Structures are given as C-alpha cells and as structure tokens.
Amino acid sequence: MAQLIKMEDYISRYEIDLNRYANQFIRLKKQQWEVIKKRFESIQFAHSTLDSEKQLFLDRIFNSQLVWASSTIREISPMDEAFEKDSLLKYFLQRFPDTYFVMYYPVFLIKKASVQGEIIIIRPTDIVCLTALEYKENNVLIGTKQKFWLKRDDQGEKKILSPIIGLERTANIVKQILSNAEVNFPIRKILLNRTGYIHASELPADIEIIDVRSYDDWFQNMRRQPSPFKNMQLKAVKALLASCATNAVKRFNE
C-alpha cells in the first residue's frame, strides 16, 4: 500500500520525520494484518470472507493515511471531505507497493509563489509525474500543440485546457528541486486516461501516453516493484517535501 506523504498544502507527519513514519507505516500495517489473519486461521471461514476483511482493513489504513497526511501531534490542516471519497487516490494507494510515496496535487513554494503540481509518485527507482484525466468511459481526447485539446464523449465535444501544461510544469519543478538538492534521479512524465482514449501524435517524445488500451499493462508494471527504500529516493522525497507549502493550525491553545 503506497504511502501518502502530501496532499495539496496540508501538513504531513512525513515532513517532520520521513524515515520514522515511512518505516512505522510498514511495520504497523504488517502487524495489524497479521492479527487479522491469525484470528481467521483459528476458525472456519470462507476465502471470500477473508477477502472482504482485507478490503475493510485496507479502507481503515486509507483513513489513517488521510490523518497522517493532514496532521501532526501539534498541528492540523482541516481536510476537505472530498479526499475521503476520492476513488483515484484510494485506488492508487491501496494497490501500489509500500515503498512508493505519493504526493497528491502538492503545492510548491517557488520564489515565494504557490504553484500546484500534478500527482507525483516517488518510487525506489524513479519519480513519476502523472496527470490523470478522469472522464466518462470511452471518452476520446484529441491532443494538439496548442493551448486547448478537444474532448469527445456521448454528450458531444468540448474544449479542455491542454493537460501537457500542468504535467510539464510539475516535471520542471521536480527537476529544479532535485538539481538544487544535488539529487540525481530519473523523472518520468505520464499522461493517463484510464477509461478513454488519447490521440496525440505531436507530443514531446518524453511524455508517455497511457490510455484504456495500455492501462492494464502499465498498471501491472507499476505494481511489480518490490524493491526496498533507496537512499537516493529518500533524499528526493525530503527535498520535495522541504519545497512544499504547508498551512495548518495548532491543535490546542498553548
């Protein structure tokens, strides 16, 4: 289960002590799951029952992740309830490995200005900057070099702002932060449309297009990396977190 280390400009426990919470998350998750399995092993049960219990377990962990990514012992960022119902966020967190760190639309401080990024997934081997295009099933996105793209679905056609703009901005911010911190780490740029199609032949060569035709293979490859944490990965995460904006209030009056 991937670790949620930053949401927008919310305060995160990982900002306080990355190594401590990264390892604590894995340890607590493993301990809690072992307790559940042992309880079920002592009684007769159907496999489907254990699967159901596992999903409940993952949902509880997801709720705990939201708490960790929006509060510390002393401070808290009031959380938008929409995150609790965000199916994409839950989907990624519950299916990616424990050694993946997820920054969900983080807000960076760039020359005292706040700039919101896209989704960032820091893996042991690279950093994935990802723009997720969540539309109706069988939508078709037609890309150009211009500022606007065309979206087609069963309700007709509509112009949308080119998703390349936010993706390139995010990748450039990440690249600059890593350079300043003297961290050499590969950066991938992915345009993702899980339920529809992307037709864009004139995109920069370093942008990967993942749509409904290639999604399953890409997703399985993303899950297939049981590598432990890497020193360069942790350095990259610390540099990125240090460059984020954080807004929070004290939990108690001191």
Side-chain angles (χ1 to χ4, degrees), residues 191-204:
L191 201 57
L192 175 69
N193 185 358
R194 295 190 297 165
T195 59
Y197 301 85
I198 299 176
H199 297 296
S201 59
E202 300 179 343
L203 296 186

Side-chain angles (χ1 to χ4, degrees), residues 17-32:
D17 192 333
L18 173 65
N19 294 62
R20 173 190 172 189
Y21 285 105
N23 288 297
Q24 184 176 331
F25 173 83
I26 295 175
R27 186 171 62 253
L28 290 175
K29 177 171 152 289
K30 183 177 180 181
Q31 289 174 349
Q32 291 176 24

Side-chain angles (χ1 to χ4, degrees), residues 190-222:
I190 292 178
L191 201 57
L192 175 69
N193 185 358
R194 295 190 297 165
T195 59
Y197 301 85
I198 299 176
H199 297 296
S201 59
E202 300 179 343
L203 296 186
D206 61 345
I207 292 180
E208 302 174 52
I209 293 178
I210 307 297
D211 64 10
V212 69
R213 294 167 292 189
S214 54
Y215 176 72
D216 286 341
D217 287 341
W218 171 81
F219 186 65
Q220 292 306 320
N221 285 330
M222 282 287 287

Side-chain angles (χ1 to χ4, degrees), residues 145-171:
K145 291 183 177 180
Q146 310 304 316
K147 186 176 180 180
F148 292 97
W149 283 26
L150 190 65
K151 175 175 71 72
R152 291 175 179 164
D153 57 26
D154 56 8
Q155 293 184 336
E157 294 185 352
K158 181 181 178 181
K159 281 187 175 182
I160 61 170
L161 185 66
S162 169
I164 299 302
I165 297 173
L167 182 59
E168 292 279 23
R169 180 176 62 238
T170 301

Side-chain angles (χ1 to χ4, degrees), residues 87-101:
S87 58
L88 180 65
L89 175 60
K90 179 184 284 190
Y91 185 79
F92 280 167
L93 292 180
Q94 292 188 343
R95 287 163 178 80
F96 287 155
D98 293 344
T99 54
Y100 286 20
F101 296 109

Side-chain angles (χ1 to χ4, degrees), residues 5 18 96 99-104 106 108 117-131 167 169-179 181-191 206-208 218 222 225 230-241:
I5 60 172
L18 173 65
F96 287 155
T99 54
Y100 286 20
F101 296 109
V102 175
M103 305 179 78
Y104 205 64
F108 293 101
E118 299 290 310
I119 299 170
I120 301 172
I121 304 173
I122 306 100
R123 311 193 303 168
T125 55
D126 57 23
I127 294 177
V128 176
C129 295
L130 184 149
T131 293
L167 182 59
R169 180 176 62 238
T170 301
N172 288 335
I173 289 173
V174 171
K175 183 178 180 180
Q176 187 60 56
I177 290 172
L178 297 189
S179 177
E182 299 182 346
V183 174
N184 185 18
F185 213 52
I187 300 171
R188 293 172 61 191
K189 294 182 280 189
I190 292 178
L191 201 57
D206 61 345
I207 292 180
E208 302 174 52
W218 171 81
M222 282 287 287
Q225 191 182 42
K230 302 292 187 183
N231 286 334
M232 198 61 71
Q233 175 195 21
L234 296 174
K235 287 182 179 179
V237 172
K238 289 176 182 177
L240 291 171
L241 285 174

